[in-house]
Amino acid sequence: MARNPNRKKRHKHKHAKPLPPGEFEAHIESLTLEGRGVAHVDGKATFVGRALPGEDVRFVYRDQRRHFDLGDAVAVDRASPERIEPGCPHFHHCGGCAMQHLAPEAQVRHKQQALLDQLSRIGRVTPEQVLEPLTGAIWGYRRMARLGVRFVRKKGRAVVGFRELGSPLLADIDTCPVLDPRVGEQLPAIAELIGEMDARRDIPQIEVGCGDAHCALAFRHMVPLGEADRARLDAFADAHGFAIFLQPGGPDSLEPLVEGARDVYPSYRLEEFDVEIRFSPLDFAQVNAEINRRMVHQALEWLAVQPGDRVLDLFAGLGNFSLPLARQAGPAGAVTAVEADQAMVERGAACATSNGIENTRHVVGNLFDPDAGHGWMNESFDRVLLDPPRAGAEAMMSVIARMKPARVVYVSCHPGTLARDVGRLVNEHGWRLLAAGVMDMFPHTAHVESMAVLEPGR
C-alpha cells in the first residue's frame, strides 16, 4: 500500500529555556516503542536514547517539555548484559538506527513484548497464539531509503547519508552496513559524484530503490541539470551499475536519465507465487526482501484462501499481497484491490496484467473515510487482508465486520493502531484474535512490524 502518514511538525518555542548543561545520572527502567530508555529524573519521565533497561547511565538533555524530557546517553556506568558493541562505526552519531547497541535477539524480544503489551493495554485483547517472530539477515537488508545530500563548503565536498543523532544536520558517514551493500558501500562514490556536479548545492536528496537485479537512484534537483551534469550521472551509472532517475518536481515529475534498457525501474520476485513486481524508487515497497517473502507466505498461509474465494485486499499498493492472493484464488476466484491513489491503482492493475493475472479488480477508495456508495463496500468477501500505514484502519473495522469474511489477516507497521483496531473487532463485534506476532522488517531500529489473524466468533 502507499504510505502517506499525516505527520505534524513540532515547532520550537521562540523563547525556549536553555537546556541544563552538563551530564546527569539516570537509572533506566524500561524501553519505549521508539527504543529510548525510560527513566525518572527528579520525578519527571525522561526518555534517554542509546540506553537499555537496568542500566545506570549519564546523559545530556536534548529537549525539555511540560510532561517529559529527552536526552541521550553519553556514558554507561553499569551496562545491561544485553548491550553489545554496535556493528556500524557511525552508530554513535548517525540517527539512522536506534538499537544497534542491543543484542539482535533482544531487539526481537522487545518488539514482540511491545506488540503484546499494546494489544493488552490498548486493545484489551490477548491472542490465542503468539506467532514465532519472522527474522532474517540483520545487515545489508534495506532496499528502500531516502538519503540526505548536502554540499559542505567548509569541507569542500558533499555529505550523503542520514541525519545526525538529535540534529537536523547530516551525519558524515562513508558506509552504511544496514543499506543494501550495492548502495551502502558506494556512499563515498556517490558523494564524490555530487561534489563534482555543477548543481551540487541544489540536490537535497536521493531516493534509493533496490530490486533483485539492480538498484535505482532518483536524484531530486532544484534547478535544471546541464549537459555536463547529465553526462557525469550517465558515466557514473555505467561505472557502478545503477539506474538513474531525475526528479525536478513532485513525484509525477520522475523520469529516467536515459531512455533505454539501463534506466528502468527495479523489480522483485515472489517466486513461490510466480509474481514479479516492478517499482519506482519513490514507491512504497517493503524494505526487507527476505522478510517480505516470508511475510507474504505467512499471511497467505493464515488467510487460507481456497480456489474460487472472493478476497478483499485493502491498502493494496502495487500488489505485494493482491497478486499472490489472485494466484491462490485461481480463475474461479477474484481479488478486489483497494488503494487511495489513482496512479498507484493504475500501476497495480498494470502489474497484474504484466504477470498474466486476470482475476483482480483494482479500485480507488478512501479507506480512512470510506464511502458506502462504492460498490465493493456492499459486497461480501470470503477473506480480507489489510496492510495500512501507521494511522491504521479504524474506519474499516465496522465495514469488515459487516462483510462477515471467514478470516482476516491484518499486517501492521504500528502496534498501537493495530491494537486499537483489533480491539474493536474483538470487543465490539465479537471476533476472535487467533494469532499475532512480529516480523523483524527493520533490524536495529525501533520499528515494529506485526501480523494479526482474526475470525468471527462462534
Side-chain angles (χ1 to χ4, degrees):
M1 45 119 261
R3 303 281 200 243
N4 186 21
N6 296 319
R7 294 184 177 180
K8 295 182 178 179
K9 292 183 179 180
R10 179 175 286 113
H11 299 282
K12 291 189 176 181
H13 298 296
K14 292 182 180 180
H15 305 291
K17 294 181 180 178
L19 296 174
E23 299 178 1
F24 296 82
E25 296 180 349
H27 176 72
I28 307 302
E29 303 157 15
S30 59
L31 277 183
T32 67
L33 280 176
E34 294 75 28
R36 286 182 169 270
V38 180
H40 286 84
V41 179
D42 295 330
K44 188 176 183 182
T46 304
F47 303 121
V48 184
R50 306 307 204 243
L52 300 175
E55 292 188 332
D56 294 323
V57 304
R58 281 169 280 154
F59 73 96
V60 295
Y61 281 97
R62 295 297 185 194
D63 195 6
Q64 287 191 308
R65 303 176 190 173
R66 179 175 298 180
H67 300 295
F68 64 91
D69 295 334
L70 299 174
D72 287 312
V74 294
V76 179
D77 295 326
R78 185 177 67 168
S80 164
E82 295 179 330
R83 177 176 284 274
I84 62 171
E85 187 65 26
C88 174
H90 305 297
F91 173 70
H92 293 292
H93 68 276
C94 176
C97 295
M99 300 175 72
Q100 284 191 26
H101 58 309
L102 180 61
E105 61 275 11
Q107 293 181 31
V108 176
R109 285 200 306 272
H110 164 70
K111 294 176 182 182
Q112 188 86 300
Q113 190 58 51
L115 169 65
L116 298 176
D117 288 347
Q118 296 287 290
L119 287 171
S120 175
R121 184 174 64 83
I122 297 175
R124 295 179 291 112
V125 63
T126 301
E128 297 176 17
Q129 177 183 344
V130 177
L131 299 174
E132 189 71 19
L134 296 185
T135 60
I138 62 173
W139 302 110
Y141 68 84
R142 184 160 189 167
R143 66 180 178 186
M144 305 292 293
R146 173 177 292 173
L147 299 175
V149 178
R150 183 177 179 83
F151 182 79
V152 183
R153 184 176 57 82
K154 291 183 178 179
K155 295 182 177 181
R157 58 183 175 85
V159 174
V160 177
F162 303 101
R163 298 198 182 279
E164 291 181 352
L165 178 66
S167 167
L169 301 177
L170 289 180
D172 194 351
I173 63 177
D174 57 10
T175 185
C176 177
V178 165
L179 279 177
D180 185 305
R182 290 173 290 180
V183 177
E185 295 175 1
Q186 295 296 328
L187 294 183
I190 296 172
E192 183 179 358
L193 165 70
I194 298 291
E196 294 173 348
M197 294 177 66
D198 298 328
R200 55 185 171 269
R201 291 182 175 84
D202 297 296
I203 299 176
Q205 67 191 39
I206 301 170
E207 301 282 356
V208 174
C210 290
D212 296 342
H214 71 278
C215 293
L217 304 179
F219 289 76
R220 178 79 173 96
H221 54 99
M222 310 305 291
V223 299
L225 297 185
E227 288 304 314
D229 279 350
R230 296 177 73 96
R232 291 181 179 105
L233 288 167
D234 191 30
F236 180 83
D238 283 341
H240 295 277
F242 289 119
I244 300 293
F245 293 83
L246 303 180
Q247 187 193 352
D252 293 342
S253 70
L254 190 71
E255 60 183 7
L257 174 67
V258 177
E259 295 287 352
R262 188 196 66 196
D263 295 336
V264 296
Y265 288 165
S267 66
Y268 64 92
R269 283 193 61 79
L270 297 172
E271 200 67 48
E272 180 181 358
F273 305 100
D274 188 25
V275 163
E276 182 173 9
I277 296 178
R278 194 165 296 280
F279 61 97
S280 151
L282 271 60
D283 284 337
F284 169 78
Q286 296 289 355
V287 304
N288 190 318
E290 177 185 2
I291 297 300
N292 182 59
R293 285 191 291 269
R294 297 182 61 193
M295 176 182 72
V296 173
H297 172 88
Q298 179 171 278
L300 269 64
E301 185 175 63
W302 274 99
L303 205 56
V305 172
Q306 302 300 310
D309 275 352
R310 291 170 51 82
V311 186
L312 179 63
D313 181 13
L314 302 175
F315 306 93
L318 294 172
N320 189 54
F321 290 105
S322 304
L323 305 190
L325 286 168
R327 295 286 196 214
Q328 280 201 336
V335 174
T336 298
V338 185
E339 177 58 60
D341 182 71
Q342 176 69 46
M344 190 69 75
V345 169
E346 293 173 0
R347 291 183 55 210
C351 194
T353 300
S354 69
N355 281 275
I357 293 174
E358 300 178 346
N359 60 334
T360 57
R361 172 178 54 161
H362 300 261
V363 298
V364 177
N366 181 354
L367 300 175
F368 299 106
D369 186 17
D371 182 353
H374 287 299
W376 65 269
M377 288 273 289
N378 300 295
E379 298 174 12
S380 62
F381 294 91
D382 302 297
R383 304 285 193 274
V384 174
L385 185 142
L386 63 160
D387 180 15
R390 289 176 62 86
E394 186 174 20
M396 289 303 302
M397 293 302 101
S398 59
V399 176
I400 291 172
R402 187 176 69 246
M403 291 175 173
K404 297 182 179 179
R407 184 161 288 185
V408 168
V409 168
Y410 188 139
V411 177
S412 170
C413 60
H414 192 280
T417 53
L418 171 70
R420 177 199 65 200
D421 296 348
V422 164
R424 286 198 61 182
L425 278 178
V426 172
N427 299 314
E428 297 179 19
H429 299 284
W431 283 51
R432 298 168 57 207
L433 177 57
L434 299 182
V438 300
M439 304 164 288
D440 198 20
M441 188 74 73
F442 293 85
H444 309 302
T445 78
H447 293 292
V448 180
E449 302 275 332
S450 54
M451 183 182 300
V453 185
L454 302 105
E455 64 179 26
R458 296 170 182 167

